[in-house]
Amino acid sequence: MTDQLYYLKEEVYFEPLIHNWYAWPYMLPPIQSALIFSKRITGLMKSFVKNAQLHVTANKSKQLTGGSFVNCTVDQVEDVKRLLDTLETEYQHYHQIKDAFTRLNDFLEQNADGYALEKEYHHIDEILSGYIELVYNENHNGFARLIEGLLYLSPLYRKEAQSISFGLLSKVGERPFVLSTPRLPDENHLQLQVAFDNPQLNDILQLRQQPKSKADIQAMFAQFPSTGGLDLAELLTTQAPCTQHQPVTQGSRIRFIGHAGLCIESDGLSILVDPVIPSRTTAQAEDFLSFADLPEKIDYICVTHTHMDHVCLETLLQLRHKVDTILVPRNNSGTITDPSLKLMLSNIGFNVREMDDMEQINLPQGIIRAIPFLGEHADLNIRSKTAWWFEFNGKKIFAAADSSNLDAQMYRNIHRSVGDVDFLFIGMECVGAPMSWLYGAFFTKPIPRKMDQSRRFNGSGFETAKTLVDIFNPQQVYVYALALEPYFNYFMGLNYAEDSEQIIESDKLLAYCSERQIPCDRLSGSRIWQY
């Protein structure tokens, strides 16, 4: 008699954690992580400890979803205090990095006057010494360039702060917003102390589609210290996933897989773009695609930019065992707001290739090309952003993500090289968050409110998206990346009304396309195009 085989239930959700906080990309690089914890996260937790009831009350309001309110209960105040104490004592170097980085920037602002910097290295505090190059930009403004690759090999990169958590949708209902709430061990979760690059993590996460005996699974989990009251047995089922991937046997297929995610398959080639894959209950099987619907092997994952709804570590780690290569845009090498995606992802176990603007990969099945990406980054000098262009089986696909058409001439220049497009996918989050919402921890001086409100993460509005349609003459147009799927609220924190600017502007684009008899839609959930 053979042992019964078990899968992870489809409703199991997985969260990568750093210091019990949901891990998003900027929390991986050592300096950026230190600034986020010392300047943002400790402040959130101190506010909660000081006035927990205010946070509890605020979290009852849907209008405040995505705000700076810790979604814990009053009973968890002591747990938050303990987490704060750990950060303040065992990771006090985070505050040392913050102070050292501030002092260095202040020194450069006051003293880097265009003359040689070679005698100024003694102004770098010991904790940052050896990881900084002092340089000027072309306007002779001094700044500190981070030597990123060396930082990942330094004592400042603390993999022991990494862990993972498992929960069940049926037990928690709605997951708390990831940017404001720590994931504390409780009766509804099982947490393992394991670094993200540990190859044994692949074995655990493959259980979604590759069953094992209960004894083997128990041995997998037993390798790592665990906390939380959720029994491992509750995560397991003998039932295979309720749907399976259906391979493409002829032609090519594009599938919208939610938010900004696409799955493109052609002649044995499988590509994902910006995948964010949700867990699902059995009742949701027909509503959207999940992990079992994806190909057994993924040749490329193409990511557009570093924002967490496009580089979703939660999803990427669950796909790592089946991914060949991740394609990422090249970064600015050492600037605080533009850390290297290649280094981030390669240090957690991925094979990564950087792509320059207009660089092309020629494959037997067709072409992958990186397209310049303007906008949505608050006018900061962030290079690690790209749109993607695909040509397979006689069709051209332009996945523009959150690109904003700030300079139509650039797109006319691109059009001269690539021609018209068959499928245009464009994000229209035309009123994004202010600059400080994501990058505030990286500035060493306060940002004037008026400046902060002016420089936002704006994607395309009607006029800019319309111009893209006029330039590229698409055969079909689809608005995506608007976080319309309610099951993504835990990391998007957005709730649109009918009069929200994003809905009004995208309605205008859909009307414009319809008048010109161009098939169009605003996407949510899943969609399939076969050709």
Side-chain angles (χ1 to χ4, degrees):
M1 180 177 177
T2 59
D3 287 340
Q4 180 72 62
L5 299 182
Y6 291 84
Y7 299 86
L8 280 179
K9 292 177 180 176
E10 289 201 85
E11 67 157 318
V12 169
Y13 63 89
F14 161 84
E15 295 186 329
L17 307 177
I18 298 177
H19 297 301
N20 288 95
W21 282 78
Y22 186 90
W24 46 284
Y26 279 86
M27 290 171 67
L28 288 174
I31 302 301
Q32 288 85 346
S33 182
L35 294 174
I36 288 168
F37 276 97
S38 61
K39 297 181 70 173
R40 185 181 191 277
I41 288 177
T42 57
L44 279 170
M45 290 194 289
K46 286 178 179 179
S47 173
F48 175 75
V49 168
K50 184 178 180 180
N51 197 341
Q53 190 57 54
L54 172 65
H55 288 253
V56 171
T57 301
N59 281 305
K60 294 177 181 178
S61 170
K62 287 291 185 183
Q63 285 72 31
L64 296 178
T65 301
S68 298
F69 298 102
V70 176
N71 194 358
C72 292
T73 66
V74 173
D75 293 339
Q76 293 176 304
V77 168
E78 292 303 316
D79 292 327
V80 174
K81 281 183 180 178
R82 281 190 287 272
L83 183 52
L84 259 173
D85 185 62
T86 298
L87 285 170
E88 298 285 345
T89 55
E90 298 179 29
Y91 293 86
Q92 58 183 294
H93 68 286
Y94 287 173
H95 292 286
Q96 295 169 358
I97 288 172
K98 177 196 70 175
D99 294 341
F101 193 73
T102 300
R103 281 192 290 269
L104 181 57
N105 275 325
D106 287 346
F107 170 80
L108 291 172
E109 182 180 359
Q110 296 167 19
N111 299 282
D113 52 7
Y115 291 88
L117 293 170
E118 60 190 42
K119 296 180 180 179
E120 308 298 349
Y121 278 77
H122 67 280
H123 289 286
I124 303 173
D125 285 22
E126 182 179 358
I127 195 166
L128 295 181
S129 181
Y131 304 113
I132 297 284
E133 181 183 15
L134 300 181
V135 295
Y136 287 109
N137 65 16
E138 292 76 12
N139 293 318
H140 311 296
N141 298 315
F143 71 95
R145 187 184 77 85
L146 305 179
I147 304 173
E148 289 189 81
L150 192 56
L151 278 163
Y152 279 100
L153 299 174
S154 77
L156 301 181
Y157 182 50
R158 303 284 291 270
K159 290 197 293 185
E160 70 272 18
Q162 299 172 1
S163 62
I164 63 172
S165 177
F166 294 96
L168 291 166
L169 294 175
S170 59
K171 282 185 173 289
V172 300
E174 189 170 333
R175 294 158 65 180
F177 183 57
V178 298
L179 292 184
S180 63
T181 302
R183 272 47 182 161
L184 301 170
D186 61 23
E187 68 278 5
N188 291 325
H189 294 90
L190 174 62
Q191 297 184 356
L192 304 181
Q193 193 69 38
V194 53
F196 300 157
D197 66 347
N198 192 314
Q200 268 85 43
L201 188 54
N202 287 354
D203 297 332
I204 292 175
L205 296 175
Q206 285 184 75
L207 291 170
R208 286 198 181 277
Q209 293 173 266
Q210 298 179 21
K212 299 284 186 183
S213 70
K214 184 170 285 189
D216 286 343
I217 295 172
Q218 289 171 335
M220 288 180 192
F221 278 75
Q223 298 174 85
F224 310 110
S226 64
T227 54
L230 183 62
D231 193 309
L232 171 59
E234 291 193 68
L235 301 176
L236 306 178
T237 179
T238 58
Q239 181 67 47
C242 55
T243 58
Q244 298 288 339
H245 174 254
Q246 300 299 318
V248 175
T249 57
Q250 186 174 0
S252 300
R253 179 172 67 198
I254 307 168
R255 288 188 292 170
F256 173 65
I257 55 177
H259 192 56
L262 298 174
C263 178
I264 303 170
E265 299 171 80
S266 184
D267 301 322
L269 180 76
S270 298
I271 298 170
L272 294 184
V273 186
D274 286 353
V276 182
I277 311 298
S279 301
R280 67 184 179 193
T281 63
T282 302
Q284 294 171 311
E286 301 302 320
D287 299 335
F288 56 86
L289 302 177
S290 194
F291 292 94
D293 299 292
L294 299 179
E296 292 184 7
K297 179 178 183 293
I298 298 166
D299 297 283
Y300 294 99
I301 292 181
C302 300
V303 297
T304 56
H305 57 298
T306 317
H307 296 166
M308 68 178 184
D309 55 322
H310 299 266
V311 179
C312 180
L313 300 180
E314 171 187 341
T315 291
L316 294 179
L317 286 170
Q318 293 183 87
L319 296 176
R320 185 173 62 189
H321 65 277
K322 61 167 68 178
V323 176
D324 188 311
T325 303
I326 298 188
L327 301 180
V328 302
R330 193 179 300 278
N331 79 319
N332 273 324
S333 185
T335 58
I336 191 71
T337 55
D338 194 18
S340 167
L341 267 169
K342 180 179 181 180
L343 287 173
M344 281 186 215
L345 297 176
S346 61
N347 274 282
I348 59 171
F350 289 94
N351 176 44
V352 189
R353 173 175 170 176
E354 285 185 328
M355 297 281 283
D356 268 317
D357 292 336
M358 300 305 291
E359 185 177 355
Q360 178 174 304
I361 296 177
N362 294 314
L363 302 167
Q365 300 91 338
I367 291 170
I368 303 173
R369 189 196 288 267
I371 299 291
F373 178 159
L374 299 182
E376 221 250 341
H377 285 72
D379 299 323
L380 290 166
N381 183 22
I382 293 175
R383 188 183 176 196
S384 54
K385 55 186 189 291
T386 190
W388 294 100
W389 183 279
F390 306 97
E391 297 184 22
F392 296 114
N393 217 17
K395 300 291 185 182
K396 298 178 180 180
I397 306 154
F398 186 11
D402 297 329
S403 302
S404 183
N405 179 15
L406 303 181
D407 184 355
Q409 188 56 48
M410 183 192 80
Y411 287 104
R412 294 188 187 98
N413 294 340
I414 292 170
H415 180 259
R416 282 202 301 269
S417 296
V418 300
D420 291 347
V421 68
D422 294 284
F423 294 89
L424 171 63
F425 296 90
I426 179 69
M428 294 191 69
E429 179 63 26
C430 54
V431 182
M435 173 170 57
S436 62
W437 187 75
L438 183 61
Y439 298 116
F442 305 144
F443 298 107
T444 56
K445 294 186 181 301
I447 306 168
R449 177 173 173 77
K450 190 172 182 180
M451 178 191 296
D452 193 33
Q453 294 297 317
S454 167
R455 293 169 59 183
R456 306 180 74 95
F457 300 116
N458 292 345
S460 288
F462 167 62
E463 290 295 337
T464 52
K466 166 186 170 296
T467 304
L468 283 181
V469 171
D470 293 340
I471 291 171
F472 287 99
N473 302 307
Q475 296 299 303
Q476 301 183 52
V477 174
Y478 297 100
V479 177
Y480 72 156
L482 278 182
L484 296 174
E485 298 89 352
Y487 41 84
F488 288 145
N489 278 351
Y490 70 96
F491 72 88
M492 292 302 299
L494 295 174
N495 288 293
Y496 298 125
E498 289 184 4
D499 60 350
S500 295
E501 198 68 22
Q502 296 91 334
I503 302 302
I504 292 171
E505 291 292 294
S506 54
D507 277 344
K508 290 179 184 177
L509 182 68
L510 298 182
Y512 180 78
C513 292
S514 294
E515 289 170 5
R516 284 149 187 79
Q517 298 184 325
I518 301 172
C520 58
D521 203 353
R522 187 167 48 220
L523 298 178
S524 175
S526 63
R527 184 74 65 87
I528 297 176
W529 301 267
Q530 190 90 33
Y531 65 90

